[in-house]
Amino acid sequence: MEPLDQIKARIEAAVPGASVEIVLNAGADGQRSLLMDNPHALAVARFLRDDPSLRLDYASNVTGVDWLDAVIQEKRKVKQVIEGVEREIEETTEQRRPGYLEAVYHLYSMELKHGPLILRLRTGNRTDNPRVPSLTPVWRGAEFQEREAYDLFGITFEGHPDLRRILMWDEFKHFPMRKDYVEPNDYEYEPTPHDEVLEKTKRHYPA
Amino acid sequence: MIATPESSQYELRPKRLADGSVQGDLLEVSMGPQHPSTHGVFRMDVVLDGERVVKLKPVFGYLHRNHEKIGENTTYLGSMPYTDRLDYFCSLTNNWAYALAVEKLAGLQPPERAEYIRVIAAELTRLQNHISLVGFLLQDMGAMGTPLMYAFREREKILDLFESLTGARMMCNYMRFGGCRCDLPPGWLEQARQVADEFPRFLDEFEALLSENEILLSRTQGVGVLSRELAVNASITGPMLRASGVNYDIRKVDKYGIYDRFSFRVPLGEHGDVYDRYMVRILEMRESLKILQAALREIPEGLILDPKAKLRGFRPKPGEVYGRIEAPKGELGFYLISDGSPKPYRYRVRPPSFINLTILEDLCLGHHVADVVIILGSVDIVMGEVDR
Amino acid sequence: MSAPLLGQGIIKGLVETARNFIGSYVNKDRLVTVQYPEERLPQQEAARNFPFLVYDGDDSQKGLRCVACLICEKECPPQCIYIVKDTVRKPDATGKLQFQPKVFDIDTSVCMSCQVCVEVCPFDAIKMDVEYELSTGDRFGSLLLRKAQLAKANQYYHKIHPAEAAEVDARLGAEKARAEAKAKAAAAAKPAAGAKPV
């Protein structure tokens, strides 16, 4: 498969107005991913599926990831002049990054037997705008997996044919896989309590 | 006088009107979670027109244990026993998929002997999964347990091998990051060779019992046809995909482990019906035997765990990885995001059975209710994996 | 795959079934059932069910290998082990004073027999038992195994896992011999060091 920068250039040429960024990956694997903007995501997905040299017709894994509001610390070495001597000191800049939900797509090609290409779609924020376009019209295999991302994370996929809860029951209120999910208070007797369960035990059995 | 529908004063069936439409109501049946033929706690809301299926909606989540959240709250090593319980028939391949993903994340490399043991364990798992599946499929067809019990008789031999190797028959918890947990006990290789040598004779008997059976042929040929384009678009993987004619086997595409050293063919089907899925699995078993016998011959001596691997205090560097293998049911993948702590930030299982269920409705439309059970049996689902 | 005579496939299948049925009377390979509980299959060497604590010698208190390091409690995935350290210390096999557990509970209704506690224990104190007939009528009381029920002798460990127990004994014996040799060398070096100022 072609290198990621080339794919990015071709996407931007084929779908005008699409802004695609490359997201780095610091792990040993090093596989980078493409972050797409929401309005053009469907057009880009169609291009990726139908382009003759890519033919990414197999959406292997569709999942959601929850990123909370975080403070990212960046350490940089800055040259500063102190008392006439130029020295290099480490400067820490803090940046507040607002939280969002992310849908990650792993794409492979069954025809050309290459891959993977990782796509990311981000929602605006976690509270009132968790919307992302659905790629089910392009890859039917994303149907159940997007339903699961809706069920467990609360990401609303616009354009999904049948967006309902799939693993939890329909009347369930919250989103279990979010990082700030609070479990219901259904304590049962626990003979070997540890950590959080120990706190719950102390609350229920003060003796 | 014999009562005919026209002569009877009771309305036995809906009247067919002049324009061909049928006057009557559609019946909605819940083939509920407690059902002997639904392979676990699985429910289908089926809307029937007489005996034919008009609409089918699968409902699951009865075995949902939120395995992914448990994975976020447990260390990497502690999640390994939980992966056994995903697809509980094939615990060794689940372990391998997870170990592969973490090894890719941390940059560990298992030694030769460990790779051979992994291949042997995976192919034994594939054998016992496929014969169980054929047994259950025949059970659903009404064969009252005979093929199932023959399949289980052979499966017991393989489970005995697993027990002497790992300590448990099903929940093996055997693979570690960088190799395997413990070495082969003395005499295991001879026992495994004996099982692999006796298996073809059993497969011949099994095929003599089933493959020309007229009842099987008439109930499975032409039922639940899945076209190539729909299979690829719906992310179907595994024997179900190959029965529709798409040549995609991750052992050949990704060449993970040491699969490029073994020569084996990939059986493909032509029509994509239930009979093709059954035959693809039988043929895959014969190819698995080839790999198994080759691996049992060539296994070298040596270490079984990467010397750089740590058991406790394992903290991979931040990053993300997607590792996948060809599990007996399809593509089993693990997507891990690490943030440098001992517990993963995001732990995701890509379940083959869950995704293979996407097109269940498309396959069953227009068929009888009895065919729905057979089509579901040929999709090969395990609720532990569908619901996680 | 079409047969010239309709029903030939079914008859071929019935021949197979008959062969298995009659074969089960004459061929031991084909009769695969065991009349449990009158006859039981022998268990494999490596089989595992729930953990137990090993003690050396005869006294289950003084010979207990566990030093309450709490590693198994931390690594257990479903967190079914509960340990309370005792304030009283006891000497271990090499004579060094070690901690001991006052309370050591394993909840077998939670334990999933994953054997991670056995792998991470640095003192070979906890091993896997093979006892599987453990059903009781009392869900909360009897399924929680306490230290007294868990502590079993080293001879029992030899009986259920002979090869593993022999290897563990060899390793611990070698460690003990090394510790004794070091202690003897230190005692021999002391008067010599006293003669010469170091």
Side-chain angles (χ1 to χ4, degrees), chain A residues 4-5 11 16 78 95 97-98 100 142 156 162 185 201:
Chain A
L4 210 58
D5 308 289
I11 294 176
V78 172
Q95 214 181 14
R97 186 206 62 199
Y100 52 84
T156 311
D162 182 19
N185 187 17
T201 317

Side-chain angles (χ1 to χ4, degrees), chain A residues 139-174:
Chain A
W139 294 293
R140 176 92 187 270
E143 183 184 335
F144 275 17
Q145 303 188 72
E146 285 181 351
R147 266 178 77 181
E148 186 197 334
Y150 165 67
D151 183 8
L152 296 180
F153 284 95
I155 306 176
T156 311
F157 289 90
E158 291 171 329
H160 192 278
D162 182 19
L163 195 66
R164 308 176 269 148
R165 281 192 181 267
I166 192 171
L167 292 176
M168 306 302 289
W169 59 96
D170 286 328
E171 295 85 18
F172 194 74
K173 282 287 177 304
H174 307 282

Side-chain angles (χ1 to χ4, degrees), chain B residues 162-236:
Chain B
F162 287 165
E163 192 177 13
S164 57
L165 175 65
T166 72
R169 284 149 51 93
M170 275 168 82
M171 306 296 150
C172 298
N173 185 19
Y174 181 61
M175 311 286 174
R176 293 285 176 262
F177 313 130
C180 303
R181 179 173 70 81
C182 61
D183 208 343
L184 304 174
W188 195 87
L189 278 177
E190 282 70 40
Q191 212 183 343
R193 284 182 193 127
Q194 205 184 354
V195 168
D197 291 336
E198 285 175 1
F199 210 85
R201 187 178 59 96
F202 159 72
L203 267 186
D204 293 334
E205 271 183 28
F206 210 53
E207 277 202 83
L209 180 68
L210 296 174
S211 295
E212 286 177 25
N213 195 316
E214 280 81 5
I215 303 179
L216 181 90
L217 292 175
S218 62
R219 279 203 79 177
T220 56
Q221 282 180 335
V223 169
V225 176
L226 177 64
S227 66
R228 280 185 68 122
E229 295 76 26
L230 183 58
V232 171
N233 195 248
S235 304
I236 309 291

Side-chain angles (χ1 to χ4, degrees), chain B residues 352-371:
Chain B
S353 313
F354 179 66
I355 295 168
N356 287 358
L357 279 178
T358 311
I359 36 81
L360 186 66
E361 180 174 11
D362 295 68
L363 292 184
C364 292
L365 286 180
H367 287 294
H368 296 285
V369 175
D371 296 333

